Amino acid sequence: MEAHTGHPRRWQVLGVMVFSLLAVVLDNTILNVAIKTIADPVHGLGATQSELEWAMNSYTLVFAGLLFTFGVLGDRFGRKRMLLAGMVLFGVASLASAYSQDPMQLIAARALMGFGGAAIMPATLAIISNVFPVHERGKAIGIWAGGVGIAVAIGPITGGVLLEHFWWGSVFLVNVPIVLISLVLIGTLVPDSKDPNKTKLDPVGVLLSIAGLISLVYGIVKISDLGTVADASVIVPSLVGVAVLAAFIWYERRVEHPAFDVRNFRNAAFSTAIASVGLVFFSAMGVMFFLAFYWQIVRGYSPLQSGALVLPFAAAQLIFAPQSARMVQKYGAKAVGTVAMLVITAALASYALIGVDTPIWILLVLTFVQGVAMANIMPPATTAIMNALPREKAGVGSSMSNVVRQVGGTLGIAILGAVLSASYRNGMEGKVSGVPEQVRHVVTESISGAAGVAANLGPRGDGLMRVAGEAFVGGIRWAALGSALVALAGAAVVARWMPGRAVAQTPGGAPAPKIEQEKETAVV
């Protein structure tokens, strides 16, 4: 196939990739809505807080730990093959999750879902990069990102509708028809592609990446569990993870056929894009996660209503992400990325001004503005990552993007969550004198605990929730300011190192007159 033409069915393939990713993205957002129901001993599994956390963390650990590995395997053995295998595994694991009989079964099934999701996510982006020529790739990735934004929004809404009419397992069972349809579409429309160079596998590098990522992410999620970073169960695995990843980089620089050529970090566009993806997800995901608690507990909205409040963010993604490539072509990646990061900074800082009774329209405007800005940084950054590597290494590029996205988002939720929790506990000090002694620690530990206790206190519960709401909002303000500082650092990184409009990078990092000159050698 000629480099400038692309695959004849590339736009249909793009639609299949967006649809296939729907199950994975839906699952990540829909579970938050079902947490309370799963914890219910009558209508759910009676899961404890720790079991609920591991139902989420088991997925995160496996997913983050195996993303890079499946990207490498897809390049070696075929991306379509990896995608099909991941879809089958994800569908089977969703079925197992839906019919889990106890929390431990759910935790195991969720880990299996993470295994399947890790095979799906990098394959979709790698296939898109292989079927589209370079000059259309930015637009295609923008549409892909817009589809992800829509899935993020409809997840909570879908979860709310399902829980109002069916049992808790329906939030997992909804994945099965998506998987079945995707398997048919992938099998009939999607071409296979892989690295035509039969290079040796790098088992040592792959194993180091798995061990390092799982250890690092485990340490990060323990921050969320404990609400502090000053604990051995946080520090030790985190340091071990960093050390193993450092060993991975050292080894990859010396091996003849590395799983990932670390010399790619010399490419300014690649390195800056990787950094911006991580910083955006660190800063934005934490605040967006806590807003879900704000909507439901502080403002009293139902899960369905809370899901609907995410629609402005999703609409911004859907409208502006597909246009981001045109913006980059007109103004350059540096200008567009810097402005987008500054707008994200301003939007996140604005959350520090919210209160327990802030008019909803103000918050909806903020989420829309944040969505517009993220739509103009994430697709161009992802495109820069994919364009920096040759097409035969598209799986590695895709997995790197997704690993940084996952680790950044998880770290943001953990670190900002620790800040919020500390602020909440300080805000509740000396304000629970009317609460029975045996449940005071529950009230001061989290706003979810306060809501549970308040429901059994009768009229006194309203006063407790007013105090808890103020303390929680105070924590959101500190978390918002922290996230804004991180986003500001991202703006500085993009402004300093992201190449401007006049510079196009070849896979080796050298300037090229036109980006369309990229050598495309993968078999499609």
Side-chain angles (χ1 to χ4, degrees), residues 443-488:
V443 172
T444 56
E445 191 63 29
S446 70
I447 193 169
S448 299
V453 172
N456 297 312
L457 290 181
R460 288 185 300 164
D462 294 336
L464 173 62
M465 285 311 299
R466 280 194 296 272
V467 172
E470 289 286 357
F472 185 78
V473 168
I476 287 182
R477 290 169 183 156
W478 283 108
L481 290 174
S483 67
L485 287 175
V486 173
L488 186 61

Side-chain angles (χ1 to χ4, degrees), residues 23 31 41 52 126 194 205 211 223 279 343 358 364 388 437 446 481 510:
L31 181 60
L52 288 173
K194 59 183 177 180
I223 298 174
L279 292 170
V343 173
T358 299
L364 296 182
E437 183 71 32
S446 70
L481 290 174

Side-chain angles (χ1 to χ4, degrees), residues 79 85 144 197 262 275 284 327 332 384 428 433:
R79 294 145 193 149
W144 175 83
N197 305 311
V262 295
M327 295 288 289
M428 293 298 287
S433 55

Side-chain angles (χ1 to χ4, degrees), residues 149 152 288 309-318 367-368 370-371 374:
V152 168
M288 292 181 69
L309 291 169
V310 185
L311 285 176
F313 176 85
Q317 292 280 303
L318 181 64
T367 57
F368 181 81
Q370 182 182 338
M374 289 184 67

Side-chain angles (χ1 to χ4, degrees), residues 65-239:
L66 294 177
L67 272 171
F68 179 76
T69 298
F70 276 115
V72 172
L73 294 178
D75 286 343
R76 181 66 175 81
F77 297 109
R79 294 145 193 149
K80 179 178 179 178
R81 194 172 299 174
M82 284 297 117
L83 180 57
L84 287 170
M87 293 301 298
V88 170
L89 189 57
F90 195 85
V92 171
S94 296
L95 200 61
S97 296
Y99 291 101
S100 296
Q101 300 300 305
D102 57 60
M104 291 308 298
Q105 289 183 15
L106 179 61
I107 291 169
R110 286 282 296 162
L112 196 62
M113 288 178 73
F115 203 101
I120 295 169
M121 184 70 86
T124 59
L125 192 53
I127 289 171
I128 290 171
S129 293
N130 268 266
V131 298
F132 280 91
V134 178
H135 66 275
E136 291 181 344
R137 195 176 292 166
K139 181 179 181 181
I141 291 176
I143 294 172
W144 175 83
V148 171
I150 286 295
V152 168
I154 66 175
I157 297 174
T158 304
V161 171
L162 289 172
L163 290 174
E164 284 186 5
H165 297 91
F166 304 101
W167 96 113
W168 65 267
S170 62
V171 301
F172 299 111
L173 201 61
V174 72
N175 294 330
V176 176
I178 298 175
V179 167
L180 293 175
I181 295 171
S182 296
L183 288 172
V184 174
L185 294 175
I186 293 166
T188 55
L189 290 175
V190 177
D192 201 2
S193 61
K194 59 183 177 180
D195 187 347
N197 305 311
K198 300 296 183 181
T199 55
K200 294 180 181 179
L201 284 174
D202 176 20
V204 175
V206 166
L207 290 174
L208 284 172
S209 72
I210 294 173
L213 287 170
I214 289 179
S215 182
L216 176 61
V217 173
Y218 177 80
I220 292 171
V221 298
K222 288 299 289 182
I223 298 174
S224 298
D225 294 347
L226 302 172
T228 179
V229 297
D231 190 277
S233 61
V234 172
I235 297 171
V236 172
S238 298
L239 290 179

Side-chain angles (χ1 to χ4, degrees), residues 251-303:
Y251 180 81
E252 295 299 280
R253 290 183 63 184
R254 286 157 177 79
V255 70
E256 184 178 357
H257 300 288
F260 174 69
D261 189 346
V262 295
R263 289 174 298 179
N264 287 309
F265 285 114
R266 297 174 184 173
N267 184 323
F270 178 83
S271 299
T272 307
I274 285 285
S276 63
V277 166
L279 292 170
V280 166
F281 267 75
F282 179 102
S283 59
M285 289 301 102
V287 172
M288 292 181 69
F289 180 77
F290 305 129
L291 278 179
F293 291 91
Y294 174 82
W295 295 130
Q296 292 190 46
I297 299 178
V298 178
R299 303 303 292 261
Y301 290 109
S302 69

